[in-house]
Amino acid sequence: MAAQLNLSGPPNSDLSSLTDQSVSSRTSNRSLRVAEKERRKNEAEDPSVLALKYFSDVEAGTPVIGNDDVERNLVLVEKVAYRNGLSPEAISIMLEFAMSLRMGHSLCPRVLKCLIPVTVVPQEAVVRAVAWLGVDKIPVSTQVLFIKWVLTVFDMIDAKDQLRAIYGFIFSFVSEENLCPFICHLLYLLTTKQIVRVFRVRKLLELQSKLGRQPFLLNLLSLYKVFCPELVTLSIPSRSKSVFKNHNMPWKSALIAVQKRNGSQVASSISLASASKDRTNRRKRKHHHLELPVLSSVVNKEPQTETSRRLVPLVQIQSVAELLENMDHIELPAQMGSLLGSSLALQYLDCVQDESALLRLNFWLGYALHEELLFCGDGGASQNSEESLQFLDKLLSTQHFLQEGFSSSEAFLYKFLNVWDGSLLRPQILGLLSNIPVVPSSQIGRLLFEPLMQLFFTSSVFFKCGLIECLNNMLLKWLTWHSVYALEDDLDISLNSHTSINMTLSGFKDSVMELVDFVGRLASIGLQLEGCHCLLLSCILDFYTMVCDMFLKYGLPLVVMPPSGVFYPALFATDPVSVDRLAFIMYRYKVNLTSAKSQEKLTEQAFHISRQTFREFNYYTVYMVNCLWNSKMFQPGTGVQLGEELLLKSNVPQYWTSFDLVHHPAFMSYAVDFHQKCWIGKKDIDLDSIKHQKPWSWYLQYLFSQGYDGLKLFVQSNIKAGQGDGQQGDGQGDRQQGDSLPT
Amino acid sequence: MSLLKPFSKLPGLNTANILLVESEEQFQQSLADGLVEETAVTVNVRLAKSLPLPKENEESRPRIDLVVFIINLTSELSFQSAEASLKYLDPGYFLGKVCFMVTNARNASVPTERLDAVRKLAAALHCPLLFAEDQTPDGVTNATKRLLSILKVSAGLVPMATALYLSSLTSCTVPPDIDQPSFD
């Protein structure tokens, strides 16, 4: 049997291959098979072996109806298949039996459905089966079933070189209308640059004119275009709108079940074959469907030196130096997902200009995310969350390494947010979310804000904090991209080195504006609903600490003030840290606005900060100075206005001083402490006495020495020296600095 | 046919009453177990298979602050039952005191049309649409917490917020064409 399988390979007898440390997958597979054979000797007279023997030996033309032998043997094989999966040999035999139609086509679908591989699928078997397709006796539905099966087990086929060699043959099936979508998918997985030829492009275009703009044709064409842009003149949307549909449902669950059940059993045989690399990792990767595949090369020949186009498989590269040496002729691995696991491969991905690598990786990733997280077979009941968690963590660290998100994970998020319950894999999802590249302002509301808003207002305060933090990180990444990729002329920025979305500066500003406004809305209402929760307030102030410095730190000519729903809760907060941070934020706003104004005068550039922003800033600053310093809380014309009689009715003595630095609930304890230290032994505490000139400056020194640097900066920049006594109560607030622009 | 009315009875002190409507009666029990564990306020949970509610208990039944329709997306019946029950609610309920909770939305066997139909229904009634993972304990806890936060608002226990205010922020929007995020 084994000899039959190795038609094109070298003889199988030399056991020396077991000790061979080569990582080439052919060797691994051979040794695998040897191990398999050994094992079979032990269980010599297994009935399933006899059943397989029956199928390999059965004569063509044997009748099916009334043939108990077939039924009995097939049931045996099916039992083994659904329980443990089929060995590579068994797959070969059964596939050959089914596709050759030795007993007619009635058994064919049934056999195909039970072809669940336990380890790998021998490439030869697939090639032979594809050859049978050409005989033209197999019913179309069975042909479709077969291609679907190939797509399902594609990653488990041990090598792809021979399949690639018959690309032309497979390509010839695209003209069959029923097979076309599946064939296109298969071709997509097999295509390399050498394969793209004018006549194939022409054929596909011809098909497209016949069938319309079908997504499967477009996808294949877009891949062709990536490889040979000069051959495909068709305009294809920059991001393919949908990936290929998934056809693997009949096998998927059986495959997963078999893989899980066989966990330990197969692990031993795999580790035997791959003694060269860290075992635990590999073992894990093989059996979990969400795990990253092992880095293995597409072509399993030894590196050829005779041709000028020598390709070095990525898996053989061990160091950065080697990577640099072979930069121009590196062969990508068969499974792009394996790139995520190797930092060298990521380095390569990062600097290579070839878009096809990223396209393939995106395709794989989109598929995996969609399949395993978004729409899983049973709605998540049996889903191994540990697995998804590790997968997403890996993806996150990859994105972190590359410092950009993948477009497929972005597309996945937009879908996932719409069905998310807000707790499933929250840290990972929020992490991925903060990595998404700048979204055009026309789309941002629909794609992001609507689903997020619903989640935000119906979830716990901790979700709210998490989301604000996530949006904070998102803004940070956008601003960093802007400052890195902004072009010289300040008009165009290329936001992403790979996908090269170009965005005008004003477009970028609009997006940032939308994001900041959105967080402002969330923050105001969130604080209101949660009763000014102090953790939430802290997250929000984090966000504004970034927003206030957009101009100076990130060179973005945009200043957005916080809404009053954020300003007042922070100012009247009961913890001194929030007030201090607000003071720091107001100080940074002032520095940014002043510098923007002076720059505007200097260069007379067109950028323009609206008068409204200045007005808001002045207004907040004046209010803050009045409130904290001048003890004039309820001035007419300010935001917080209450009727005089109402205030008198409240019976609060000297209500206008309630929120000055002495009486503010956040600082009251400091005032009392200061009072005790200042007038030792004085029994009755009179806080108003702090407001006299001398104690007042001492009190300020005392406060600043407690670490309230924000407050210190705010006071130093807004209040003129020498007027530092609060007791006179008339305007020391510096009103001139940032005053409204002349029109 | 008796309508359930939101304001026909007086509210209890520091009390919130929630009605969970689910035709399959699977998820509502575990939700209810979680809901009554809330200590800050007294939460009364009423369970129903469908509306209208029976006449006999009408006197003793407290004022219902929030009606939750639980829809299992894998079953068409579940959706139809919820849809049929809606007409036994007083229009006053739709000012923020109704919400939909959907389970099994990530199941591959769910036709997308059904999810779209639920979205359209929720959007047309200006109600929030929550998704829940009913299969895992974490998912159930989270769903409970989210219902509680809405319930507290609609029972008037959160200062400065009303049910209508919250629902204007969270109501479901018309389903976006999520399959085609075009960037051209």
Side-chain angles (χ1 to χ4, degrees):
Chain A
M1 258 185 278
Q4 181 201 348
L5 293 173
N6 285 285
L7 287 173
S8 55
N12 205 3
S13 54
D14 62 325
L15 279 166
S16 64
S17 62
L18 256 179
T19 52
D20 195 342
Q21 296 286 307
S22 159
V23 273
S24 111
S25 61
R26 165 67 59 92
T27 320
S28 331
N29 296 326
R30 200 197 302 149
S31 46
L32 241 181
R33 276 174 231 162
V34 170
E36 195 85 34
K37 220 164 79 182
E38 295 265 277
R39 215 182 56 206
R40 207 174 316 112
K41 266 180 201 160
N42 300 335
E43 32 189 84
E45 286 310 303
D46 192 343
S48 64
V49 175
L50 289 176
L52 285 176
K53 198 161 158 40
Y54 173 84
F55 285 110
S56 69
D57 296 347
V58 70
E59 300 239 341
T62 314
V64 187
I65 299 159
N67 188 341
D68 289 344
D69 281 353
V70 183
E71 184 59 30
R72 185 167 43 83
N73 286 320
L74 191 53
V75 166
L76 260 173
V77 173
E78 277 177 332
K79 224 170 87 187
V80 175
Y82 288 122
R83 199 181 58 229
N84 296 325
L86 294 175
S87 65
E89 293 85 354
I91 297 268
S92 302
I93 294 166
M94 294 313 290
L95 192 58
E96 178 70 17
F97 167 76
M99 297 301 285
S100 62
L101 302 182
R102 253 179 283 169
M103 295 176 75
H105 48 68
S106 56
L107 280 180
C108 198
R110 193 170 151 196
V111 173
L112 278 177
K113 274 180 192 153
C114 76
L115 288 181
I116 294 148
V118 63
T119 49
V120 289
V121 176
Q123 175 181 224
E124 291 86 350
V126 180
V127 172
R128 286 179 67 91
V130 172
W132 281 113
L133 276 187
V135 176
D136 209 23
K137 278 197 299 190
I138 306 172
V140 177
S141 62
T142 313
Q143 289 182 356
V144 169
L145 193 67
F146 167 69
I147 302 287
K148 282 181 178 178
W149 175 79
V150 175
L151 290 172
T152 311
V153 299
F154 187 81
D155 285 347
M156 304 178 91
I157 300 175
D158 53 2
K160 316 274 171 9
D161 56 331
Q162 292 178 29
L163 271 177
R164 216 156 265 149
I166 57 163
Y167 190 94
F169 182 70
I170 301 174
F171 191 89
S172 66
F173 289 104
V174 286
S175 41
E176 303 211 5
E177 214 165 302
N178 294 314
L179 278 180
C180 187
F182 312 103
I183 291 288
C184 280
H185 190 170
L186 185 59
L187 292 175
Y188 187 97
L189 295 172
L190 289 172
T191 302
T192 59
K193 193 174 166 74
Q194 293 77 27
I195 280 167
V196 182
R197 289 278 186 277
V198 186
F199 67 90
R200 294 203 174 112
V201 176
R202 245 182 239 146
K203 178 78 197 171
L204 287 181
L205 288 175
E206 186 189 304
L207 271 176
Q208 181 167 301
S209 62
K210 211 169 79 187
L211 301 175
R213 284 171 75 93
Q214 298 293 342
F216 45 88
L217 287 173
L218 273 180
N219 261 354
L220 188 57
L221 276 169
S222 71
L223 184 68
Y224 278 20
K225 188 169 184 169
V226 166
F227 283 122
C228 297
E230 70 280 3
L231 292 184
V232 186
T233 46
L234 189 73
S235 84
I236 289 163
S238 54
R239 296 176 197 216
S240 56
K241 286 188 173 176
S242 64
V243 293
F244 289 103
K245 288 217 177 70
N246 304 315
H247 319 292
N248 51 14
M249 275 316 155
W251 291 283
K252 190 68 187 273
S253 47
L255 202 56
I256 294 167
V258 164
Q259 283 181 339
K260 286 205 167 141
R261 207 173 301 141
N262 279 15
S264 56
Q265 196 186 334
V266 191
S268 59
S269 51
I270 295 269
S271 55
L272 190 70
S274 62
S276 64
K277 280 213 169 177
D278 53 323
R279 271 179 211 187
T280 46
N281 260 352
R282 292 203 120 188
R283 206 185 296 164
K284 267 189 183 166
R285 284 174 192 172
K286 270 282 174 186
H287 310 124
H288 295 283
H289 47 290
L290 243 187
E291 288 293 342
L292 308 178
V294 189
L295 193 61
S296 64
S297 62
V298 189
V299 184
N300 45 22
K301 291 170 210 141
E302 291 302 306
Q304 299 169 318
T305 35
E306 68 265 28
T307 52
S308 55
R309 312 177 45 83
R310 194 174 68 93
L311 289 176
V312 182
L314 205 48
V315 68
Q316 288 177 6
I317 301 219
Q318 303 293 339
S319 68
V320 180
E322 272 180 64
L323 178 72
L324 291 177
E325 218 167 90
N326 296 305
M327 200 58 153
D328 296 328
H329 35 85
I330 277 185
E331 184 207 38
L332 290 167
Q335 292 181 279
M336 293 307 283
S338 59
L339 287 183
L340 295 187
S342 143
S343 66
L344 265 178
L346 288 178
Q347 248 140 12
Y348 172 70
L349 194 66
D350 197 31
C351 38
V352 77
Q353 288 305 305
D354 181 9
E355 270 203 21
S356 69
L358 211 68
L359 198 75
R360 279 180 61 195
L361 184 57
N362 263 320
F363 174 72
W364 176 81
L365 196 62
Y367 186 84
L369 285 169
H370 191 271
E371 227 9 49
E372 308 301 345
L373 284 166
L374 192 52
F375 296 111
C376 38
D378 46 10
S382 75
Q383 192 182 21
N384 188 344
S385 59
E386 190 61 29
E387 232 167 73
S388 341
L389 196 125
Q390 279 172 7
F391 180 75
L392 289 184
D393 276 339
K394 191 89 212 162
L395 181 59
L396 268 175
S397 71
T398 305
Q399 294 198 346
H400 197 246
F401 183 86
L402 292 175
Q403 299 191 354
E404 61 186 24
F406 294 109
S407 60
S408 54
S409 76
E410 189 188 345
F412 157 75
L413 280 174
Y414 295 148
K415 287 187 182 181
F416 188 71
L417 285 182
N418 281 300
V419 294
W420 193 29
D421 75 333
S423 93
L424 183 76
L425 299 167
R426 184 193 295 168
Q428 284 73 25
I429 296 294
L430 289 182
L432 284 181
L433 191 61
S434 67
N435 277 337
I436 64 168
V438 183
V439 188
S441 58
S442 56
Q443 310 271 349
I444 198 167
R446 188 175 61 85
L447 291 174
L448 274 185
F449 296 167
E450 278 175 20
L452 286 181
M453 191 132 122
Q454 290 183 30
L455 283 165
F456 184 84
F457 289 118
T458 55
S459 294
S460 69
V461 68
F462 299 106
F463 179 86
K464 292 188 171 95
C465 293
L467 186 61
I468 299 276
E469 198 195 342
C470 155
L471 294 172
N472 191 5
N473 287 334
M474 189 192 287
L475 181 66
L476 170 67
K477 280 184 184 122
W478 290 11
L479 292 173
T480 317
W481 276 322
H482 165 76
S483 58
V484 172
Y485 291 113
L487 296 181
E488 297 291 298
D489 57 2
D490 251 22
L491 276 173
D492 254 349
I493 45 170
S494 165
L495 288 166
N496 193 319
S497 57
H498 282 298
T499 47
S500 62
I501 322 155
N502 283 314
M503 213 178 208
T504 60
L505 182 63
S506 71
F508 178 73
K509 266 169 77 176
D510 286 346
S511 291
V512 171
M513 190 80 169
E514 288 277 344
L515 181 63
V516 175
D517 279 349
F518 175 66
V519 176
R521 280 202 304 281
L522 290 188
S524 317
I525 305 170
L527 282 173
Q528 182 192 343
L529 288 177
E530 298 292 340
C532 299
H533 195 282
C534 104
L535 188 62
L536 182 61
L537 184 59
S538 162
C539 289
I540 292 165
L541 290 176
D542 274 343
F543 181 79
Y544 280 101
T545 313
M546 172 126 68
V547 170
C548 68
D549 254 343
M550 284 196 298
F551 177 69
L552 280 180
K553 258 195 191 160
Y554 303 97
L556 184 69
L558 182 70
V559 180
V560 191
M561 297 305 292
S564 39
V566 171
F567 177 79
Y568 291 108
L571 181 60
F572 300 138
T574 49
D575 59 318
V577 178
S578 300
V579 185
D580 177 64
R581 296 186 66 186
L582 179 71
F584 178 75
I585 289 169
M586 292 308 291
Y587 162 72
R588 289 306 301 178
Y589 268 121
K590 177 159 186 170
V591 174
N592 274 269
L593 281 171
T594 327
S595 122
K597 208 170 172 186
S598 62
Q599 189 171 324
E600 195 175 28
K601 271 180 196 147
L602 210 70
T603 59
E604 293 187 1
Q605 231 179 349
F607 106 76
H608 179 75
I609 287 169
S610 78
R611 291 173 62 191
Q612 183 60 32
T613 310
F614 280 101
R615 211 171 292 146
E616 275 176 49
F617 169 77
N618 287 332
Y619 176 77
Y620 283 153
T621 312
V622 168
Y623 189 80
M624 231 170 130
V625 170
N626 270 341
C627 188
L628 294 175
W629 195 269
N630 295 338
S631 313
K632 288 197 292 190
M633 241 194 104
F634 301 101
Q635 288 279 313
T638 59
V640 182
Q641 282 189 56
L642 282 177
E644 186 77 29
E645 61 278 20
L646 204 65
L647 287 165
L648 289 174
K649 234 183 184 172
S650 73
N651 283 335
V652 179
Q654 291 187 304
Y655 56 82
W656 54 90
T657 65
S658 297
F659 282 92
D660 61 17
L661 277 177
V662 176
H663 294 94
H664 194 294
F667 296 104
M668 177 85 94
S669 60
Y670 288 102
V672 172
D673 188 41
F674 174 78
H675 191 277
Q676 280 166 352
K677 281 183 178 150
C678 198
W679 294 282
I680 300 162
K682 199 171 166 187
K683 276 280 180 313
D684 50 335
I685 291 175
D686 174 25
L687 289 182
D688 282 332
S689 59
I690 299 177
K691 289 196 179 171
H692 297 290
Q693 196 158 4
K694 265 259 165 61
W696 179 252
S697 63
W698 290 341
Y699 178 60
L700 287 180
Q701 288 305 316
Y702 168 74
L703 270 186
F704 298 160
S705 75
Q706 302 293 315
Y708 294 117
D709 292 336
L711 212 56
K712 186 176 173 183
L713 290 167
F714 179 79
V715 167
Q716 282 171 354
S717 75
N718 284 303
I719 291 156
K720 283 176 191 149
Q723 297 189 334
D725 52 337
Q727 113 245 44
Q728 294 156 350
D730 53 19
Q732 290 99 338
D734 170 16
R735 288 159 188 248
Q736 64 73 29
Q737 285 263 4
D739 247 9
S740 37
L741 274 176
T743 33
Chain B
M1 186 174 98
S2 68
L3 281 180
L4 192 61
K5 292 194 168 118
F7 300 116
S8 59
K9 286 173 185 159
L10 289 173
L13 187 64
N14 209 24
T15 305
N17 306 303
I18 186 170
L19 173 66
L20 305 177
V21 186
E22 185 190 23
S23 67
E24 291 173 340
E25 300 183 295
Q26 285 171 344
F27 189 33
Q28 54 178 199
Q29 191 57 52
S30 50
L31 271 182
D33 291 343
L35 283 168
V36 293
E37 279 172 24
E38 169 71 21
T39 47
V41 293
T42 317
V43 178
N44 293 321
V45 185
R46 297 266 158 161
L47 305 180
K49 202 167 175 246
S50 63
L51 298 184
L53 297 174
K55 267 220 183 301
E56 52 260 39
N57 295 331
E58 211 162 87
E59 287 306 309
S60 63
R61 186 178 302 129
R63 170 173 124 164
I64 302 288
D65 297 306
L66 181 67
V67 183
V68 183
F69 289 98
I70 300 167
I71 298 174
N72 178 0
L73 269 197
T74 48
S75 129
E76 179 71 30
L77 206 65
S78 173
F79 173 56
Q80 284 169 350
S81 156
E83 209 177 12
S85 297
L86 282 169
K87 57 174 178 280
Y88 298 102
L89 283 180
D90 187 84
Y93 265 108
F94 294 100
L95 301 175
K97 285 171 182 276
V98 176
C99 87
F100 291 92
M101 180 163 257
V102 161
T103 61
N104 280 321
R106 296 187 304 125
N107 197 320
S109 61
V110 171
T112 48
E113 295 78 26
R114 196 176 297 151
L115 180 57
D116 286 348
V118 177
R119 265 185 206 287
K120 276 192 188 124
L121 180 68
L125 299 170
H126 297 282
C127 295
L129 175 64
L130 308 185
F131 291 86
E133 303 286 330
D134 60 336
Q135 318 267 2
T136 56
D138 282 350
V140 176
T141 319
N142 185 60
T144 318
K145 278 192 193 147
R146 291 179 76 188
L147 281 186
L148 261 181
S149 67
I150 301 177
L151 175 65
K152 281 185 186 167
V153 173
S154 63
L157 299 171
V158 177
M160 314 282 289
T162 63
L164 187 57
Y165 181 47
L166 187 67
S167 86
S168 72
L169 298 166
T170 56
S171 65
C172 185
T173 39
V174 185
D177 194 5
I178 48 171
D179 276 326
Q180 309 275 313
S182 69
F183 285 89
D184 310 330

